[in-house]
Amino acid sequence: MSAAPLVSVVIPVRNEAPNISPLVAEIEAALAGVAHEIVYVDDGSTDDTPRVLAGIAASGTPLRWLRHRASCGQSAAIVTGVKAARGTWIATLDGDGQNDPADIPRLLARAERDGTGNLLVAGHRVNRKDTWVKRRSSRIANGIRSRLLRDATPDTGCGLKLFPRALFLGFPHFDHMHRYLPALALRAGASVVSEPVNHRPRVRGVSNYGTLDRLAVSLLDLIGVAWLQRRGKRAEIEDQS
């Protein structure tokens, strides 16, 4: 892991011990031949997550992990992971195994074809494998968000996204920001595209970042992000050297 990788896979987790080893194996298979690293951020887990991560890291797998002493939320864990990552590109995955790592190479190819290095590729779960309540609440939230923010993204809730590390580090960082990455990318002058991705049912553990939590904060978040969009100004720079 001495050379900087092309892509860093950042995974925030809280109490996901049974899902870690299978997901790491899938990432390694999907990115065979691609210079990569895996960055886990343990968001204050109280199960065996630290022990499992330590064991995988000691095995020689290109995995690094960091730990929040107390849970700070999914967005904070992603920020921690991206700051620690060394890759040019960041791929984010949910830690529950519902995102398919086999989709990462296709998102990376889409980003590299663009050629500008200023593009966010958002996964679009065309055939979601979630409960009716999750699917319905997401459909409502996506509709309201799309009309208010005009972020040109049908599924901002998908955990699988790919973007330049440098782009993300320029975003304002706040709680729940991970739900609004396409809008923040557009605000920063980047392009946003969506790619259909596989979505799988959860087969181990239970959700740690729940539906009620998402709904409780969505309205305030929307207002805040809409304010940021309207207050942001992008300067047109002329090189005078």
Side-chain angles (χ1 to χ4, degrees):
M1 293 177 62
S2 57
L6 175 65
V7 59
S8 298
V9 183
V10 173
I11 308 167
V13 288
R14 180 167 176 256
N15 295 337
E16 294 285 4
N19 288 307
I20 296 171
S21 292
L23 187 57
V24 168
E26 287 188 298
I27 295 169
E28 287 296 276
L31 295 179
V34 177
H36 70 279
E37 67 175 355
I38 304 170
V39 181
Y40 265 88
V41 179
D42 174 12
D43 186 34
S45 293
T46 56
D47 66 352
D48 281 344
T49 291
R51 181 184 61 79
V52 173
L53 288 171
I56 296 173
S59 72
T61 300
L63 179 145
R64 295 186 295 133
W65 65 287
L66 305 96
R67 176 172 169 80
H68 292 168
R69 291 180 181 175
S71 178
C72 298
Q74 192 170 350
S75 285
I78 292 173
V79 171
T80 295
V82 175
K83 286 182 175 179
R86 301 178 303 128
T88 302
W89 292 95
I90 302 293
T92 58
L93 287 174
D94 288 339
D96 56 13
Q98 290 192 261
N99 299 139
D100 190 345
D103 287 317
I104 296 176
R106 191 173 73 257
L107 269 62
L108 185 60
R110 177 77 183 268
E112 292 183 320
R113 282 199 306 270
D114 177 77
T116 67
N118 200 30
L119 175 73
L120 183 146
V121 186
H124 179 196
R125 298 165 294 180
V126 178
N127 186 21
R128 286 189 63 175
K129 303 297 184 180
D130 277 326
T131 64
W132 179 88
V133 172
K134 279 191 174 182
R135 295 196 307 271
R136 181 62 177 169
S137 62
S138 291
R139 190 175 299 118
I140 293 170
N142 277 325
I144 296 172
R145 187 212 69 255
S146 179
R147 285 192 292 272
L148 184 61
L149 301 183
R150 302 182 185 277
D151 57 9
T153 307
D155 184 15
T156 61
C158 180
L160 177 53
K161 294 182 178 70
L162 186 129
F163 45 82
R165 178 176 181 269
L167 174 67
F168 182 93
L169 293 178
F171 292 165
H173 297 158
F174 53 91
D175 200 13
H176 305 289
M177 66 168 289
H178 68 280
R179 308 187 201 284
Y180 301 96
L181 294 184
L184 295 173
L186 291 172
R187 177 180 180 269
S191 300
V192 174
V193 296
S194 293
E195 278 283 326
V197 295
N198 188 26
H199 192 245
R200 309 178 294 191
R202 176 188 270 273
V203 296
R204 306 174 193 87
V206 296
S207 176
N208 294 287
Y209 298 112
T211 301
L212 293 177
D213 171 66
R214 289 194 294 269
L215 292 174
V217 299
S218 59
L219 180 58
L220 184 60
D221 288 343
L222 275 171
I223 293 171
V225 175
W227 181 87
L228 281 172
Q229 283 184 315
R230 286 155 178 74
R231 298 297 295 176
K233 291 184 178 180
R234 294 192 295 272
E236 295 184 6
I237 300 172
E238 296 179 352
D239 189 347
Q240 301 296 315
S241 60

